[in-house]
Amino acid sequence: MSETTKLPAPAADLAAWTCPAPLRDQRRVVMGHGGGGALSAELVQHVFAPAFGGEVLAQLGDAAAISLGGARLAFSTDSFVVRPLFFPGGSIGDLAVNGTVNDLAMSGARAAYLSCGFILEEGVELSVVARVAEDLGAAARVAGVEVATGDTKVVEAGHGDGIFVNTAGIGLIPPGVDLRPQRVVPGDVVIVSGAIGAHGVAIMSVREGLEFGVEIESDCAALGGLVDSMLAVTPDLHVLRDPTRGGLAAALNEIAAASGTGVVIHERSVPVPPPVANACAVLGLDPMYVANEGKLVAFVPRDHADAVLDAMRAHPLGTEARVIGEAVEAHPGMVVARTGLGATRVVDLPLGEQLPRIC
C-alpha cells in the first residue's frame, strides 16, 4: 500500500455518542431531570403539572400551603436516593427527616408529623436497614417531629440500590406568615444562613474516594428552629428557600423568575468554606451550584434585615449568616453576580446537576 493510499473512514456510530450535558430535546429520562435545574423544571411544567392540575400544585413551592378545617397547613413530600447511604456528617436517614422538615420550614411551618416509606432491595443487610432507621428516628427526635405512619416495599435484587426512602410531612403555618416568591419586591435584602457547598462535596469525596487534605462534612440539619427565630423578629419575611439540588444558584433563579424581579449578589460576600472552595477548584465545580442540606436563603424587607440577621447569628445554625445581595427592578427574572474585579456575570439556572444522587 502506498503512502498516499487512504482507507475509508469507518462509519460513525451516532447512537453511541454521549454528551456530558443532557440535551433539552429528550425522549427519555436523563439524570439531569432529577437535578433541580432547568430540566427538572421542564419535567414538572410539561408533564406532571398538566396531568395533575390544581391551584395548590401551581404554587410549586418547597411545600404546599393548604387550608383544612380552618387551619393553614404546610404539606410536603420528598424521596431520597443518595449514594452512598452513609457519608461524613449524616446518612440517608438524616436526610429523609431534615429534607422534609426543611421544606415545611420554608413555608414558615414547624413540622409536626412525618410519614416514612422504605423501598428495600433484596439482599441488603438488615444491619444496614436498622442503622438507617436508627438515624432517621434520632433525626426526627432532634427536629421535634413524630414519624406517625409508614410503609415498606421490597424489590428484586438488581432493581434498586440498597435503600430508597420517601418521607411526607405536615405542619401548621402560624397566623400572619405568608412566605412565597411573589411577595419579593425590589429593595429586599438577600441573606444566606451560612457557608455553602459542604453537602455536595462531602458526598463526592466519599463516592469517588477523593481526599482533599481535610474531611468535609455535610451540613445536613433541620432548620425549623432557625426559621422560628427569624419569624419571632417579624412574620413579614417574604420568601425562604433551602438551596438543595442545583445549589444557591437554582434557588435564586427560581425566586427571581417567580417574583419577576432581578437579583444582584456580591460574589465575595457568598460564604464558601476554604476546603469546599479548594475541592471545587480542583474538580472544576462552581460552589454556587453545589447542593446544601442545612442552609437557607431569605428575601427580607430592608427595614427588618438587620434585626433578622442578628436573630439568625444568635442561633447555632445561623452563626455565619450574612447579606449577599438584593432584589432589584433591573433585569427581571435574572440573577447576576458582581465579581471582586468589578465585572458582572449572569448566574444561570443550571441545566441539570453537577453531581447526581446527592439527596
Side-chain angles (χ1 to χ4, degrees):
M1 183 181 299
S2 69
E3 291 182 312
T4 58
T5 303
K6 295 182 179 179
L7 295 175
D13 183 6
L14 300 181
W17 286 15
T18 61
C19 178
L23 302 177
R24 302 296 286 272
D25 184 14
Q26 290 287 341
R27 295 185 179 182
R28 299 179 185 272
V29 172
V30 296
M31 291 301 294
H33 282 118
L39 285 174
S40 293
E42 290 175 0
L43 185 64
V44 172
Q45 293 169 2
H46 300 301
V47 177
F48 297 130
F52 302 155
E55 295 181 2
V56 175
L57 181 64
Q59 300 171 15
L60 295 179
D62 288 338
I66 57 178
S67 296
L68 187 65
R72 291 182 67 223
L73 300 176
F75 180 35
S76 184
T77 187
D78 207 343
S79 299
F80 300 88
V81 297
V82 64
R83 180 171 60 86
L85 298 176
F86 306 97
F87 47 85
S91 71
I92 192 173
D94 299 294
L95 281 176
V97 171
N98 295 337
T100 297
V101 166
N102 291 348
D103 283 347
L104 296 173
M106 296 308 104
S107 66
R110 191 66 185 265
Y113 297 100
L114 294 180
S115 71
C116 177
F118 274 76
I119 300 175
L120 308 176
E121 183 182 17
E122 181 186 23
V124 66
E125 295 183 5
L126 285 176
S127 61
V128 174
V129 179
R131 183 179 169 190
V132 170
E134 289 168 0
D135 286 351
L136 194 152
R141 289 187 287 274
V142 169
V145 63
E146 181 178 348
V147 179
T149 187
D151 180 56
T152 304
K153 294 292 189 294
V154 178
V155 298
E156 298 90 341
H159 291 264
D161 194 6
I163 300 175
F164 296 152
V165 182
N166 172 273
T167 48
I170 57 173
L172 284 170
I173 301 175
V177 174
D178 182 16
L179 298 175
R180 50 192 174 89
Q182 291 77 14
R183 296 195 63 220
V184 172
V185 295
D188 279 359
V189 174
V190 181
I191 303 174
V192 68
S193 64
I196 64 170
H199 178 70
V201 174
I203 295 294
M204 175 173 285
S205 65
V206 292
R207 183 185 299 177
E208 305 300 335
L210 302 175
E211 295 184 3
F212 302 109
V214 60
E215 184 177 67
I216 299 173
E217 292 192 353
S218 169
D219 61 346
C220 186
L223 297 170
L226 176 61
V227 173
D228 286 346
S229 68
M230 298 166 67
L231 291 174
V233 173
T234 174
D236 190 31
L237 306 178
H238 284 170
V239 68
L240 302 176
R241 283 290 168 90
D242 58 333
T244 54
R245 295 177 304 167
L248 181 60
L252 293 174
N253 271 277
E254 290 168 1
I255 293 170
S259 65
T261 63
V263 176
V264 175
I265 62 171
H266 304 283
E267 204 166 53
R268 286 189 172 179
S269 297
V270 178
V272 181
V276 171
N278 294 337
C280 287
V282 170
L283 299 170
L285 304 178
D286 185 339
M288 289 282 293
Y289 295 91
V290 176
N292 312 271
E293 288 292 347
K295 299 295 183 295
L296 65 80
V297 59
F299 282 63
V300 180
R302 187 170 296 276
D303 291 347
H304 301 303
D306 288 341
V308 170
L309 186 62
D310 288 342
M312 295 174 72
R313 288 174 172 170
H315 190 277
L317 295 179
T319 56
E320 296 180 325
R322 65 176 66 178
V323 173
I324 62 168
E326 63 182 339
V328 297
E329 292 184 7
H331 49 79
M334 181 182 296
V335 180
V336 301
R338 291 179 179 161
T339 70
L341 299 176
T344 300
R345 68 180 181 93
V346 175
V347 180
D348 288 324
L349 183 69
L351 186 60
E353 172 61 53
Q354 294 183 115
L355 178 66
R357 302 280 302 277
I358 43 78
C359 64

